[in-house]
Amino acid sequence: METLFIGKNLLFLHDVESTNTYAMNLLRNVNVIEGTVIHTDNQTKGRGQRGALWTSNIGQNIASSIILKPTFLGIDNTFYLSKISALAVYDLLTDILHNSQYDIKIKWPNDILVNQQKIAGILIENNFSNTAIQYSVIGIGLNVNQDTFSEFERLATSLKLISGKAFDRELILNLLCEKLEKWYLKLKQQKTSLIDKQYLNCLFGLNKTMSFKDLNDLYFDGKIIDVSKNGKLRLELSDLSIKEYDIKEIKFLA
Ligand code: BTN
């Protein structure tokens, strides 16, 4: 692997409940080196955002958790971990697919879409001390060779479904580690405006009016104008007022 530290220590588990849960438990109990990657062929209780389940066919996709120790990052800047993880997956897909017929986007906060269908999801879990982050687990699920999805996953896709080809998962995991390391080092060097710019560049629906559902299940429209420093989605509403929403407060309708 062409990296300095991410993926140098690679732990493969045939089956595990969730690589994120496993990594968080490991971190609570032993001193794990930064860059350690846990990956598996079979997650029996894969976890998604908002408490959802993340399901994936056995041995066909990427289900990995990468351990980072961004102690340099203030608590207020936690969302940068979401940004760089999404950008890493975005870059990985751009490299692999290198063809303009694919429209690759980051859907706030950090889903990755190809041609408006979800190909990857990210679940980040952090452990904080008083003033800083002690460690973070970046859980990435990327659909690679799975070519059938249930009716509940009708908006899901995989590399194989969109390109017609099967991919070597080891190669993809290596590339993913390289891309994440590249963005993580940029973050460490405080290149935050570059990260902000690129994240916005890739953002699904930017400057477009989209439909959302709020906490009370009420539907409304809003134009996506930005993502705030702390990761909230900034919308311009129909009365032209501007409001920020946390991930728990809003859901895309599609
Ligand atoms: C989402 O889109 O809701 C996030 C999905 C994250 C799935 C990955 S797979 C590896 C890691 N382990 C988990 O239990 N979840 C993440």
Side-chain angles (χ1 to χ4, degrees):
M1 194 163 325
E2 303 281 314
T3 55
L4 297 172
F5 63 101
I6 294 187
K8 288 282 179 211
N9 187 26
L10 201 60
L11 186 59
F12 171 73
L13 305 165
H14 276 286
D15 308 271
V16 68
E17 271 196 15
S18 147
T19 54
N20 263 41
T21 310
Y22 187 93
M24 287 301 273
N25 282 335
L26 203 63
L27 282 156
R28 268 190 284 272
N29 295 307
V30 286
N31 186 16
V32 192
I33 58 165
E34 184 172 42
T36 296
V37 175
I38 321 284
H39 71 124
T40 187
D41 265 352
N42 183 22
Q43 276 193 139
T44 53
K45 254 193 207 164
R47 293 187 290 116
Q49 298 221 22
R50 306 167 196 261
L53 272 180
W54 178 261
T55 52
S56 175
N57 285 1
I58 301 174
Q60 298 186 339
N61 301 318
I62 299 269
S64 305
S65 295
I66 298 131
I67 292 171
L68 296 177
K69 299 191 176 178
T71 48
F72 57 89
L73 200 64
I75 291 179
D76 294 350
N77 285 325
T78 309
F79 193 70
Y80 276 101
L81 295 171
S82 281
K83 287 187 173 174
I84 61 160
S85 313
L87 285 170
V89 178
Y90 178 93
D91 280 1
L92 161 78
L93 295 174
T94 311
D95 271 21
I96 296 178
L97 298 171
H98 54 76
N99 186 322
S100 55
Q101 83 188 70
Y102 304 113
D103 180 29
I104 310 169
K105 285 278 181 290
I106 297 171
K107 185 175 176 187
W108 176 84
N110 50 17
D111 283 353
I112 316 296
L113 310 181
V114 177
N115 297 344
Q116 309 213 9
Q117 291 183 299
K118 181 160 168 175
I119 196 164
I122 301 175
L123 178 69
I124 300 182
E125 296 179 281
N126 302 300
N127 185 277
F128 300 99
S129 69
N130 281 341
T131 50
I133 306 177
Q134 282 186 308
Y135 52 78
S136 303
V137 170
I138 315 287
I140 301 180
L142 168 66
N143 298 330
V144 181
N145 293 328
Q146 181 167 337
D147 52 13
T148 51
F149 291 92
S150 74
E151 59 173 302
F152 304 108
E153 303 162 318
R154 71 201 151 77
L155 292 173
T157 193
S158 66
L159 281 173
K160 184 164 178 203
L161 272 184
I162 52 172
S163 71
K165 285 187 301 189
F167 286 82
D168 176 352
R169 289 185 302 139
E170 196 183 318
L171 192 130
I172 296 205
L173 182 60
N174 286 355
L175 256 175
L176 179 62
C177 292
E178 282 172 35
K179 301 295 183 193
L180 185 62
E181 185 172 284
K182 184 191 99 183
W183 282 105
Y184 186 59
L185 291 177
K186 285 197 180 21
L187 181 58
K188 217 168 183 172
Q189 293 156 4
Q190 299 183 333
K191 295 195 173 148
T192 45
S193 12
L194 173 78
I195 296 169
D196 292 337
K197 201 172 129 212
Q198 188 57 5
Y199 179 83
L200 268 195
N201 243 338
C202 305
L203 195 66
F204 170 70
L206 183 66
N207 296 324
K208 292 201 180 105
T209 300
M210 315 285 287
S211 300
F212 300 92
K213 202 161 93 171
D214 72 9
L215 273 181
N216 307 314
D217 275 356
L218 291 175
Y219 298 159
F220 67 100
D221 286 346
K223 184 164 100 178
I224 300 180
I225 53 170
D226 200 1
V227 173
S228 74
K229 193 168 125 87
N230 52 6
K232 293 188 175 176
L233 189 66
R234 283 172 69 90
L235 298 183
E236 184 186 280
L237 304 178
S238 46
D239 62 2
L240 298 184
S241 65
I242 289 172
K243 251 185 121 175
E244 292 188 349
Y245 296 86
D246 195 63
I247 175 162
K248 291 181 217 81
E249 299 169 337
I250 190 176
K251 234 181 146 177
F252 280 88
L253 265 197

